Amino acid sequence: MARVVVDVMPKAEILDPQGQAIVGALGRLGFSGIADVRQGKRFELEVDDSVDDVALERIAEELLTNTVIENFSVTRVEA
């Protein structure tokens, strides 16, 4: 079995209200020097050797990501 990580982030041109809320909260909590936060999603999949990179890209693109507003990356993690 292998672990695959799919990171999904809003595209740069898309407003990220959750990220903006985090930046505001950080300031209220006394943390300074943080100019921007982008909030995304992380998916971890346990897959066997029969699942190839093409299938993983399709899973990420067709199921885990709204490609209109999000970008994704797929990474195999060594055990």
Side-chain angles (χ1 to χ4, degrees), residues 3-19:
R3 175 165 294 182
V4 175
V5 174
V6 179
D7 289 308
V8 180
M9 293 295 293
K11 291 182 177 180
E13 62 272 14
I14 299 298
L15 179 66
D16 183 1
Q18 291 174 317

Side-chain angles (χ1 to χ4, degrees), residues 55-74:
L56 292 170
E57 289 283 326
R58 284 192 60 208
I59 291 167
E61 184 173 9
E62 296 176 19
L63 179 64
L64 303 178
T65 307
N66 177 348
T67 57
V68 174
I69 62 170
E70 296 172 318
N71 292 319
F72 68 91
S73 66
V74 178

